[in-house]
Amino acid sequence: KDQVFQPSTVASSEGAVVEIFCNHSVSNAYNFFWYLHFPGCAPRLLVKGSKPSQQGRYNMTYERFSSSLLILQVREADAAVYYCACQNYGGSQGNLIFGKGTKLSVKP
Amino acid sequence: DSGVTQTPKHLITATGQRVTLRCSPRSGDLSVYWYQQSLDQGLQFLIQYYNGEERAKGNILERFSAQQFPDLHSELNLSSLELGDSALYFCASSVGGPGTGANVLTFGAGSRLTVL
């Protein structure tokens, strides 16, 4: 079954580098997408691709079946849910298959 | 503002009832996707439309149906509602359809449905 796996929670301290890991069992998946979701708001794309990439404080690592999102100099305001997703070419689940989300908590 | 508009933001109804959720995609986007987020669950893909036609189907119940209109807005109809249908329903839009390389989905803020 095509699935995306990520930890349910990650805890960090302000100023640290936090890593959220994701892996998948999705056939024909080549791209990872990382979304940020604050409750009551629209999930927002942070970074994506099929190779390591960086957008501001957000770094994405890439392996064929896994990716990590690294958040540099994490702040209390980064506390939110982070979703990892894979793009399934031609699958029955549309373009993106999401993990269950990782809730990040940040201690001051 | 993501450019994807969902209404209503909140909806409370009773079991057995029927509701309609509406989504207006971002300007220029031809694809609309519906996702369900239940408690402690991730975003579960329901269905996708591209330029008015159904293109992909996920774990959508037979009690649920959707359509995309000529002006590209979409509606998700949920009928014979059960307590377990209480969830956050997200709409997303993208420019292309299935198989489009690195197709980026832009999400709306969701419609929270509570079934009592």
Side-chain angles (χ1 to χ4, degrees):
Chain A
K1 183 180 176 182
D2 291 344
Q3 288 184 287
V4 176
F5 307 96
Q6 56 183 124
S8 58
T9 60
V10 167
S12 184
S13 298
E14 212 166 26
V17 176
V18 64
E19 179 178 5
I20 302 174
F21 180 77
C22 168
N23 66 311
H24 74 82
S25 61
V26 179
S27 54
N28 300 317
Y30 300 95
N31 289 297
F32 280 93
F33 297 74
W34 286 93
Y35 280 82
L36 163 64
H37 185 215
F38 290 105
C41 298
R44 176 170 67 92
L45 180 69
L46 290 174
V47 65
K48 65 172 177 63
S50 57
K51 60 182 179 181
S53 61
Q54 179 175 2
Q55 289 288 333
R57 293 187 299 118
Y58 304 102
N59 279 356
M60 184 187 97
T61 69
Y62 179 86
E63 300 284 344
R64 174 67 176 84
F65 291 99
S66 67
S67 172
S68 284
L69 175 70
L70 294 114
I71 308 173
L72 310 180
Q73 295 179 306
V74 72
R75 311 160 183 163
E76 279 191 82
D78 293 326
V81 177
Y82 293 80
Y83 286 100
C84 173
C86 291
Q87 185 172 19
N88 183 349
Y89 285 86
S92 64
Q93 296 193 49
N95 281 95
L96 293 188
I97 301 169
F98 284 85
K100 293 188 177 183
T102 298
K103 188 171 183 178
L104 172 65
S105 60
V106 181
K107 288 190 294 187
Chain B
D1 183 5
S2 67
V4 178
T5 304
Q6 290 189 246
T7 57
K9 287 188 172 14
H10 302 276
L11 188 55
I12 301 174
T13 188
T15 54
Q17 295 299 305
R18 172 190 168 95
V19 299
T20 297
L21 308 180
R22 182 188 167 101
C23 170
S24 293
R26 202 177 55 151
S27 177
D29 286 357
L30 299 179
S31 276
V32 170
Y33 307 76
W34 287 97
Y35 284 83
Q36 179 192 54
Q37 184 187 40
S38 302
L39 193 63
D40 294 332
Q41 296 294 314
L43 293 159
Q44 300 290 316
F45 171 69
L46 295 178
I47 198 163
Q48 181 210 358
Y49 283 82
Y50 175 73
N51 205 20
E53 294 187 4
E54 182 185 307
R55 282 301 183 92
K57 214 167 187 174
N59 301 319
I60 187 167
L61 300 173
E62 285 191 14
R63 300 183 286 109
F64 296 0
S65 65
Q67 53 183 328
Q68 186 180 27
F69 295 86
D71 67 352
L72 300 178
H73 91 271
S74 177
E75 292 181 356
L76 179 66
N77 300 296
L78 315 174
S79 62
S80 303
L81 286 168
E82 302 175 359
L83 296 177
D85 297 327
S86 295
L88 196 53
Y89 291 85
F90 285 102
C91 170
S93 69
S94 71
V95 173
T100 305
N103 200 19
V104 175
L105 270 60
T106 302
F107 281 85
S111 292
R112 181 170 293 282
L113 173 66
T114 302
V115 182
L116 301 176

